[in-house]
Amino acid sequence: MVATRRYITYYAVSDMTCKKCKKEIPDDAKYCQYCGANQTARQKPRKRSRRPNKAGGIYKLPGNRAKPWAARITRGYDEDGRQIKQFIGSYRTAADAAKALAQYEPDAPLSQKKNITLKELYEDWKQMPAYTRLSRSTQQNYDAAFERYMFPFHTMRFADLRIAEFQKMVNLAKDKGLSRSTLEKIKALGVILGKYAYSLDIVNKVYATAVVLPRAEKSDPETFTDAEVQKIMSAAAQGVPYADTVAIFLYTGMRISELLTLEKSGVDIKEMLITGGLKTDAGRDRVIPIHSRIQQYVRVRYMASEKYLIERPVVTGRGKNKIEVRKPISPGYYRDKIYYPLIDGLGIPRKTPHKTRHTFFTRFDAATDDKKAMADIGGHSDPNFSESVYVHPDIERLRKALEEID
């Protein structure tokens, strides 16, 4: 019997399907035997969906990179309307770049000084011309406002300060009974520092502009009575320390910052004239005749002073090396250490130093009808004087009008 061999044919099962009709075709087929679709054509990469406006952009960097995907945002537009773009970072995948954009804070500070504290920013600003060009009295006002009412926030990052913090600074002074003008200075300083930080890209908004000040209350200014003026003049005549300075305020009408920054060179001791003043164009470098009742006090201080008409003696050194030097007096020191203790000691109800100026004008107005002289001496623009060019006052007319005050 002859053995019979049997052959079994095995057919491979194809795992390949047509790209178009999805029917099974041989693995090496270049075209589909059913629909004729080309199976070797390269598929185009699927485009990423377009990102919404203001959400940043993702793009691929050229070359062979470990992190080829980059993310960036638009910070604004230049004068020609072109985008100002900021690079955020590079990433391994487009998904990582998208995630970085989603986590990015659009209002985050860009500056290298983004972590600067309030105190550090203030010290930085003090080196700028915006501060150095201010008058000494204005610098002292800002320094006092910063030290006294902003101190709870000195160590905070400036970028973290918001309206609430700036409002608390103002409220701190308000709760202490400070005047509206002081509150205005605190707010103004907050705005100035905010604008300075904005210029350095530390913040993107000046929050202090939204601080709310209490409503200004109009009231008749309280003045010193004639009896109180005479009590101060008697104390000056008896040599009570610094009573003569209050007398000078009462008979010149000068502001506290004006008189305390008045240099010796601004006093003509021979003609008994003061040339000085601050704040307004009408008040700056105005001429004030020295009243006969205070000439002796001005003369004594003039002879003893080194630079400023009103100074205070300070002893430095120890033992045989002790020497006495004369230093200028700041408005804060004068107000707290000299003025209030003096009028308290004389039994006079407390009035701010600025009330001496109100007293001067009240007494001047009662003594003479020369309103022009009062405006010239006080450094105010005359409401009845229509000429825009400043006219130098007649010194003798001013002196005659001033001597009408008892």
Side-chain angles (χ1 to χ4, degrees):
M1 182 176 180
V2 179
T4 304
R5 293 184 178 182
R6 294 183 178 181
Y7 295 91
I8 301 175
T9 303
Y10 294 91
Y11 295 93
V13 179
S14 174
D15 292 329
M16 182 174 172
T17 60
C18 176
K19 296 177 181 179
K20 184 176 180 181
C21 66
K22 305 303 180 184
K23 292 182 179 180
E24 290 187 2
I25 58 176
D27 290 341
D28 58 350
K30 295 183 178 180
Y31 295 92
C32 177
Q33 62 199 39
Y34 302 105
C35 67
N38 187 351
Q39 304 300 305
T40 59
R42 184 177 179 182
Q43 286 186 323
K44 294 182 180 179
R46 194 176 71 175
K47 291 184 177 180
R48 296 190 309 276
S49 59
R50 181 181 175 85
R51 295 183 60 80
N53 291 337
K54 299 182 180 180
I58 299 172
Y59 61 99
K60 196 169 185 180
L61 298 170
N64 186 19
R65 300 168 182 259
K67 296 180 179 180
W69 294 96
R72 66 186 178 193
I73 61 169
T74 300
R75 296 298 304 182
Y77 298 87
D78 61 18
E79 296 178 354
D80 298 325
R82 292 190 294 267
Q83 288 180 321
I84 301 174
K85 298 177 180 179
Q86 180 195 348
F87 180 77
I88 301 301
S90 58
Y91 307 91
R92 293 181 62 85
T93 65
D96 291 340
K99 184 178 180 180
L101 281 175
Q103 295 176 346
Y104 180 74
E105 298 180 20
D107 292 331
L110 307 178
S111 172
Q112 294 180 351
K113 295 185 177 182
K114 63 182 181 180
N115 293 321
I116 194 171
T117 64
L118 172 61
K119 187 174 180 63
E120 291 169 342
L121 182 72
Y122 185 70
E123 295 299 328
D124 196 17
W125 174 70
K126 286 176 68 174
Q127 309 304 316
M128 299 294 106
Y131 178 87
T132 58
R133 291 177 181 175
L134 295 173
S135 65
R136 192 171 71 90
S137 61
T138 303
Q139 291 177 353
Q140 290 173 342
N141 287 335
Y142 281 139
D143 290 344
F146 181 78
E147 293 296 335
R148 296 177 184 177
Y149 310 114
M150 294 185 171
F151 71 89
F153 309 97
H154 279 186
T155 57
M156 278 189 65
R157 281 199 333 151
F158 192 86
D160 294 334
L161 295 177
R162 295 295 183 267
I163 298 172
E165 285 72 32
F166 288 107
Q167 187 69 57
K168 287 177 182 178
M169 298 173 191
V170 172
N171 291 345
L172 179 62
K174 177 187 174 183
D175 294 341
K176 291 185 178 182
L178 275 297
S179 66
R180 180 182 169 85
S181 62
T182 300
L183 305 185
E184 289 173 348
K185 287 185 179 70
I186 298 170
K187 177 180 178 179
L189 180 57
V191 172
I192 290 171
L193 293 178
K195 289 182 177 179
Y196 180 58
Y198 181 84
S199 71
L200 297 176
D201 286 333
I202 295 172
V203 295
N204 292 292
K205 184 176 180 180
V206 182
Y207 291 97
T209 56
V211 169
V212 178
L213 298 176
R215 184 175 299 176
E217 298 180 0
K218 293 185 178 180
S219 60
D220 294 331
E222 184 182 7
T223 60
F224 289 88
T225 65
D226 289 342
E228 291 169 346
V229 171
Q230 295 308 316
K231 187 177 289 188
I232 293 171
M233 297 306 295
S234 297
Q238 295 169 14
V240 176
Y242 293 103
D244 60 321
T245 63
V246 183
I248 295 173
F249 277 119
L250 286 167
Y251 279 88
T252 61
M254 297 186 76
R255 301 175 179 88
I256 182 172
S257 56
E258 292 176 332
L259 187 55
L260 295 180
T261 57
L262 177 64
E263 296 187 6
K264 188 175 181 179
S265 58
V267 179
D268 187 336
I269 202 66
K270 182 178 179 180
E271 298 296 332
M272 282 294 162
L273 297 172
I274 290 175
T275 303
L278 303 169
K279 198 170 184 180
T280 64
D281 289 339
R284 194 173 291 110
D285 292 334
R286 65 185 184 274
V287 178
I288 305 173
I290 302 174
H291 195 284
S292 58
R293 293 198 67 180
I294 60 171
Q295 288 182 4
Q296 57 179 325
Y297 307 130
V298 173
R299 185 178 291 107
V300 170
R301 287 200 168 271
Y302 180 89
M303 299 304 294
S305 70
E306 293 182 1
K307 183 177 180 180
Y308 298 96
L309 179 64
I310 297 180
E311 299 171 333
R312 64 187 179 96
V314 178
V315 177
T316 62
R318 297 180 179 180
K320 296 181 180 180
N321 295 325
K322 282 186 178 180
I323 58 172
E324 182 179 284
V325 297
R326 304 188 68 82
K327 291 189 174 182
I329 303 175
S330 68
Y333 184 93
Y334 180 84
R335 188 183 294 108
D336 299 334
K337 303 295 184 181
I338 297 174
Y339 176 80
Y340 284 130
L342 174 63
I343 63 172
D344 288 346
L346 296 177
I348 298 175
R350 279 204 172 192
K351 301 175 182 65
T352 65
H354 197 67
K355 298 303 180 185
T356 60
R357 181 170 167 84
H358 289 301
T359 302
F360 170 80
F361 284 115
T362 300
R363 301 180 74 220
F364 202 143
D365 184 58
T368 180
D369 293 329
D370 195 338
K371 307 301 181 185
K372 180 64 169 62
M374 184 166 64
D376 286 336
I377 292 175
H380 290 154
S381 298
D382 187 354
N384 298 319
F385 188 63
S386 59
E387 294 181 21
S388 60
V389 180
Y390 180 73
V391 177
H392 291 281
D394 182 342
I395 301 301
E396 291 306 316
R397 178 175 58 82
L398 297 184
R399 194 187 301 279
K400 181 180 178 180
L402 188 62
E403 288 297 333
E404 294 294 329
I405 303 176
D406 292 333

